[in-house]
Amino acid sequence: MRTLSSAILAVFAVLLQLRVSMTASYPAQKSFLQCLSDHSQSSLPISSVTYFPNNSSYTTVLQSYIRNLRFMSPKTPKPVFIVTPTHVSHIQASIICSKIHGLEVRIRSGGHDYDGLSYVSHNPFIIIDLFKLRSINVNIEDQSAWVDSGATIGELYYRIAEKSKIHGFPAGVCPTVGVGGHFSGGGYGNMMRKYGLSVDNIIDAVVVDVNGRVLDRESMGEDLFWAIRGGGGASFGVIVSWKIKLVVVPEIVSVFRVEKTIEDGATDIVYQWQYVADKIHEDLFIRVVVLPVNKKSHQTVKAKFVALFLGDAENLIALMDQSFPELGLSCNDCIEMSWIESVLYWSNYAKGTSLDVLLVRQPESEKFLKKKSDYVQEPISKTGLEGIWKKMMQLRKPALTFNPYGGKMSEISESETPFPHRSGNIYKIQYSVNWKEEAVEAADQNLDRIRMIYDYMTPHVSKSPRGSYLNYRDIDLGTNSDGNVSYSEASVWATKYFKGNFDRLVQVKTEVDPDNFFRYEQSIPSLASWTNVVAE
């Protein structure tokens, strides 16, 4: 018992020392608070939503929206303070005072960014956490909605379904993702072949810029409005809310989930899926999740085919029989339900689960994780697939998710929004590895695994550049390191996300944030800021 008590006391002492040292490093806490108060509305005191390390709620607020346990360790850099705005003036004050005191800003809406860039920095920083700004106003008459950045996708879906059984919105399948990051990075989901990405259905926004001005689409101008719809909003300002265009969905949709192992012919079926998935009717979205499986006698690979069809089961079966008979879909595999029920189905909730789960903002469990992404533009041969399965079984851990493109995605120009991955892509791959062990060795081993399968996939995926999806943040691609970087340095990673749109993003950044205040490891650089650094 003494040993255990000593260990607990030692841990407590370290944590206390960390908190004290952080507070001591910034003795100007009163100065910060005074600045924040001076630049926000006195009737809405910002002090009540500001958390310094010596506040008993600081750790809880910080950790509440950390979705990757890799960034919850004592060694992870912590913010000087956290502001959880309840009013736009709190955001304005946070920006102005951070500039005055030389602090960087991290903007967090849901915390699902895979590499933790919305709540970690190696420079002195604050977090503007938007989770208290989550108002949603649905207007069925004009088929639109205003949604705050701090709302989750699940909350948005729930509020739409409250008003209408025949409206939805094309966004992600994970209900706890924050709207702010999801929308500003693109926002894809299982209706993108029918209606495009989230950003293709955004018609207005409210943003606080580097000077603390509150701007809508008209006052910010079309260049900035273009940039925040897929270019990563945190490079340009704090996006408070979005106006979205709702889409029409049928009263009855159909879903299925069919699993095939190598022994069941998974290789041939996945091979054929590549020739069908992006060309089949746009009402049908068939995802494939591929993962290694350990059976008693041997290892194998399992492919899970998960689908949403915007129509009834009879028409789904007819379409599958005509276009993709290799899967062998039967009536027993198909389930009819409402669109909002399909949201729960895709989130792996049991049939009959209350829709109220969409209002739960915390995932059931947190994990240590790493994700990466790729785009496939030519079908991978059967031999190639067999090689991938073999590599996956050797590595044991990483899962691959194939998301089909085509349909509406092929009709929209690469330059329409900063998100460029449109026509010519058959499907996107998400690489995923999760683990539960806290040890450094476990992290190193799993990071090695996902990097090895990513390297192995090089011959099979897009080239010049090898594409990547912004919302699957991946600092393996390169970073801005510390502070200002040149155009050429940033282009190493940025062309993977944005292709030819990077140039226009840099131009917008240089115009709206010339001193590069809004910066992080993969933020859009400012040419003016870089020029000033060189001149010095």
Side-chain angles (χ1 to χ4, degrees), residues 165-211:
K165 293 182 179 179
I166 58 165
H167 287 88
F169 188 71
V173 300
C174 179
T176 57
V177 169
V179 160
H182 186 67
F183 284 6
S184 73
Y188 86 94
N190 56 19
M191 290 202 294
M192 70 178 188
R193 301 191 64 250
K194 176 75 170 182
Y195 291 114
L197 305 174
S198 299
V199 291
D200 300 322
N201 297 275
I202 291 170
I203 50 181
D204 205 344
V206 173
V207 60
V208 181
D209 76 357
V210 69
N211 298 310

Side-chain angles (χ1 to χ4, degrees), residues 127-172:
I127 295 175
I128 300 177
D129 197 320
L130 301 173
F131 74 90
K132 290 180 180 176
L133 289 173
R134 55 179 191 259
S135 171
I136 300 169
N137 184 11
V138 177
N139 186 335
I140 293 300
E141 286 187 11
D142 71 357
Q143 301 187 98
S144 71
W146 273 102
V147 51
D148 285 352
S149 283
T152 63
I153 296 171
E155 289 171 333
L156 174 59
Y157 291 160
Y158 184 93
R159 298 304 173 197
I160 295 171
E162 270 188 327
K163 296 286 186 75
S164 171
K165 293 182 179 179
I166 58 165
H167 287 88
F169 188 71

Side-chain angles (χ1 to χ4, degrees), residues 21 137 143 153 297 341 391 461:
S21 65
N137 184 11
Q143 301 187 98
I153 296 171
S297 58
E341 288 172 330
K391 190 66 176 179
V461 298

Side-chain angles (χ1 to χ4, degrees), residues 22 51-53 58 62 77-82 119 124-127:
M22 287 175 62
Y51 303 88
F52 284 84
Y58 172 90
L62 175 62
K78 307 297 189 293
V80 176
F81 60 89
I82 307 165
Y119 50 87
F125 73 107
I126 74 163
I127 295 175

Side-chain angles (χ1 to χ4, degrees), residues 204-429:
D204 205 344
V206 173
V207 60
V208 181
D209 76 357
V210 69
N211 298 310
R213 297 180 300 170
V214 182
L215 309 170
D216 63 6
R217 179 174 182 172
E218 183 178 358
S219 54
M220 79 175 77
E222 288 302 304
D223 282 343
L224 181 53
F225 184 64
W226 174 85
I228 63 174
R229 291 177 299 133
S235 287
F236 305 97
V238 179
I239 303 166
V240 183
S241 57
W242 309 80
K243 187 177 184 182
I244 61 173
K245 178 178 63 180
L246 304 182
V247 301
V248 176
V249 295
E251 287 196 39
I252 296 295
V253 304
S254 302
V255 296
F256 67 75
R257 187 180 290 118
V258 174
E259 298 184 358
K260 301 287 185 180
T261 63
I262 293 175
E263 294 75 16
D264 300 325
T267 304
D268 288 342
I269 300 171
V270 171
Y271 174 75
Q272 186 59 30
W273 172 89
Q274 296 178 106
Y275 288 90
V276 173
D278 65 319
K279 298 176 182 67
I280 205 165
H281 196 283
E282 63 184 11
D283 285 347
L284 180 56
F285 182 94
I286 309 173
R287 163 184 282 185
V288 185
V289 182
V290 185
L291 61 163
V293 176
N294 287 318
K295 295 202 169 185
K296 289 183 179 179
S297 58
H298 66 287
Q299 280 186 305
T300 188
V301 162
K302 176 169 66 177
K304 294 193 293 185
F305 296 82
V306 189
L308 170 68
F309 177 64
L310 300 174
D312 60 32
E314 182 179 351
N315 282 311
L316 172 58
I317 291 290
L319 180 59
M320 289 293 288
D321 285 347
Q322 178 184 359
S323 301
F324 192 24
E326 291 81 3
L327 187 60
L329 190 71
S330 71
C331 293
N332 292 334
D333 297 317
C334 303
I335 309 171
E336 293 183 337
M337 56 181 63
S338 66
W339 173 78
I340 194 66
E341 288 172 330
S342 78
V343 171
L344 268 60
Y345 179 89
W346 270 72
S347 298
N348 296 313
Y349 287 106
K351 188 172 174 58
T353 300
S354 169
L355 295 179
D356 291 347
V357 298
L358 295 176
L359 302 178
V360 177
R361 294 176 62 88
Q362 306 293 332
E364 291 184 357
S365 63
E366 309 289 5
K367 303 168 183 172
F368 297 87
L369 58 90
K370 175 66 182 176
K371 312 274 187 176
K372 298 175 80 67
S373 59
D374 259 322
Y375 288 90
V376 175
Q377 299 177 332
E378 297 289 340
I380 301 172
S381 68
K382 290 183 184 179
T383 302
L385 292 174
E386 288 167 349
I388 295 167
W389 307 161
K390 182 178 179 181
K391 190 66 176 179
M392 292 178 73
M393 287 186 283
Q394 287 174 353
L395 296 173
R396 296 177 176 270
K397 265 285 184 72
L400 275 57
T401 301
F402 301 165
N403 291 291
Y405 274 52
K408 185 74 170 180
M409 293 297 289
S410 294
E411 298 169 11
I412 299 172
S413 165
E414 282 192 4
S415 59
E416 182 72 21
T417 68
F419 180 96
H421 309 292
R422 304 287 189 171
S423 180
N425 294 295
I426 302 174
Y427 57 99
K428 175 178 64 187
I429 302 176

Side-chain angles (χ1 to χ4, degrees), residues 58-84:
Y58 172 90
T59 300
T60 301
V61 173
L62 175 62
Q63 294 183 352
S64 291
Y65 288 90
I66 293 178
R67 299 286 175 254
N68 187 345
L69 293 180
R70 289 172 59 205
F71 307 110
M72 208 183 277
S73 77
K75 294 181 180 179
T76 303
K78 307 297 189 293
V80 176
F81 60 89
I82 307 165
V83 178
T84 59

